[in-house]
Structure formats: C-alpha cells, structure tokens
Amino acid sequence: MIKTIGVLTSGGDAPGMNAAIRAVVRAGCELGIKVYGIMRGFNGLMSNDMYEMNLRSVSDIINRGGTILCSARSERFKTEEGMQAAIRTCRERGIEGLVVIGGDGSFRGARDISLKGIPCVAIPGTIDNDIGCCDYTIGYDTAMNTIMQMVDRIRDTAESHDRCAVVEVMGRGAGYLALSSGIACGATSILIPEVPYDFDRDVIERMKRTQRSGKVHFVIMVSEAIGGVEEMAKRIQAETGVEARATILGHVQRGGSPTSKDRIVASRMGYHAVQLLKDGIGNRVVAIQKDEVMDFDIYEALGMKSSIDLEMYKMAMEISI
Ligand code: F6P
C-alpha cells in the first residue's frame, strides 16, 4: 500500500475545494498514509512548497470558500523542465500518489505527471460544471446560488425602475451557469455559447412580445463566453425604449461558504480518490453521475465533451416569456 500522498488545488478556486481537501486528509490519516498539502497547485510541487497535514490541519474548513492550499495556473508545469522539478520533489518527499483538485486544465497536468510514473487522481472542482464525464463539479451549486441571490437583488432594483438588467455570468467557454441561473431567475432571454442566437429575434423581439403582455422589467442572462453586455444594454435601450443597465457579476461568483451539496459531493469525491490511490491506482478522474461516485481513465475523461441540455434551454424559452 502507498505510504505518502500529496494533495493540491489548481486552476480557478471553487467553493467546496476545502471540503475535498479535508476528506483526502482524513481518509489518508485513517489508512495511516502521510498526506502533504501542496501549496499553490503545481507551483508548490515544482518548488517543494508543502507541509505535512494531520487530522487537525483540516478542522473548521468544511464551511469555508476558497482553498486553504491556495491555487494557481502554471505555465512552467507544462514544460519538461517544470515536470522534472515536480518529479524531483515527489522523489525527495517520497510522494507516491497525488490528488489534484481542479478543472480540465488541471486534469491535463494530472495526466502528464501520471505518465511520468506518479499515480494521480483528479477531482473536478470548478464552478463552470464543464467536465464531460461528470454530471456535476464541486463549486457549481454554490456559484449558482450566489448568482441567484445577486440577480434577485438586481431584479429588485430593475423592477423599481422599470428597467432591463443585462447580467453577465462566468463559465469560461460553457453556458451551464448562464442557462441554469437564467432559468432560476426567470430571465426573458438567455445567451449561451452552445446555442446560436440572433439578437433581434432572441432578445429584442422577445422583450417586445412580453412588453405587449404587460411586462415592464426584464432580466437578460448572458454567458461570459458571449460577453458584450454594455453594448447589449445600449442596444436594448435604443430599440425597446426600456432603460437598461449592464452588470458583470465577476469573481463574487467564485467565493462564499459552500452549499450542503458542494460539501457532500466534495467529501465523497475526496474519500473516493484516496481509496483509489491507496492501492496505487492512478490516472483516474473521480466523477459523479446520477448521484453515484465513479471514476474514469483521465484520457477517456479528457476526450468526453460536456453538453448542454437543449431541452432545458427550450423549456426556459417557453416559460420565461
Ligand atoms: O474556471 C473558473 C472561472 O471562474 C471561469 O468561469 C472564468 O472564465 C475564469 O475562471 C476566470 O479566471 P481568473 O479570473 O481566475 O483568471
């Protein structure tokens, strides 16, 4: 059985990452495995910046957003020199397995280091929910709830002034956050990269149609992959006569105390990762499908495309009018 593992968080932080770290450390300690907490993602692995964790190092973090190990995106780790530095650290510290918590960029790092002989298990932690093999990624539910609360506030003021609120939400190249929050907030239009749109037909005409039925304030949800919310607001004002304001929600979406769903999914995934590593099984991605925790080969997982539920989009368009 493996004696020493490391855990790191990489890429954009996500609420629930701490709960996953906690599960990895506690499950490792239970099996008598030494667990290193590696600072700032792969950077800490290359520069040997880590500390030995114990049961108490992860006390009182299940409720905290962000990541106690800090996170980073590393260009150096993509080079052979960076990889060699990381492997040197693993040898020096006796690290025989790694848990990498992050998005698909981090999975590529996990795959590369697995290839060099260090078994690595990746856990999907990103608010974007854009991992193909996985119904759900750590942080998505908290981000969704944050967006919903923020847009509810924006709606209050839009309603008071008969305005249109054009809101940009995160998601990098994926429209999950925009679609789900658009449904949860009753947005009149939802613009996501997965569905081609025509601004006149899908925003202006829809607004005019709802205006005719008596509606006087609106929410338009836009994915950051589309962007341009300031310009959209100006065009809406000019073409519908409704005063419009743009809001880019930004990093508020990535912070905050994780929801129960994120805490539980993160705990289950962290625990599962250690059960794989203890037997030397690496090169896997932990996933959750239909509420069942499972794992996939990293190559296979990286090849799986995430896809939007178009039926959900269709439904949203029919009921938010
Ligand atoms: O992947 C998470 C995410 O928040 C994306 O939604 C967003 O595009 C990106 O990270 C922003 O990254 P940062 O501001 O940390 O560079």
Side-chain angles (χ1 to χ4, degrees), residues 49-76:
D49 184 7
M50 61 185 73
Y51 63 102
E52 191 180 331
M53 301 183 91
N54 59 40
L55 292 176
R56 296 284 66 80
S57 354
V58 289
S59 293
D60 304 317
I61 65 166
I62 197 163
N63 54 319
R64 283 167 57 189
T67 154
I68 59 162
L69 296 176
C70 302
S71 194
R73 296 187 175 95
S74 172
E75 284 306 312
R76 185 179 161 214

Side-chain angles (χ1 to χ4, degrees), residues 191-240:
L191 305 183
I192 53 175
E194 293 85 354
V195 180
Y197 72 95
D198 173 308
F199 197 77
D200 283 326
R201 181 195 63 204
D202 298 318
V203 179
I204 304 294
E205 283 313 314
R206 279 181 71 81
M207 281 182 64
K208 287 185 175 164
R209 194 176 140 199
T210 52
Q211 270 180 317
R212 285 195 293 274
S213 69
K215 193 170 171 69
V216 287
H217 59 273
F218 307 83
V219 172
I220 309 295
M221 200 67 80
V222 183
S223 162
E224 72 166 325
I226 289 175
V229 285
E230 291 286 353
E231 282 311 306
M232 286 181 189
K234 284 190 192 127
R235 201 164 149 191
I236 286 168
Q237 193 158 315
E239 293 182 32
T240 64

Side-chain angles (χ1 to χ4, degrees), residues 254-274:
R254 282 231 303 253
S257 177
T259 58
S260 60
K261 177 162 177 171
D262 277 327
R263 297 179 197 197
I264 293 166
V265 170
S267 300
R268 292 175 72 193
M269 287 181 168
Y271 180 80
H272 190 85
V274 174

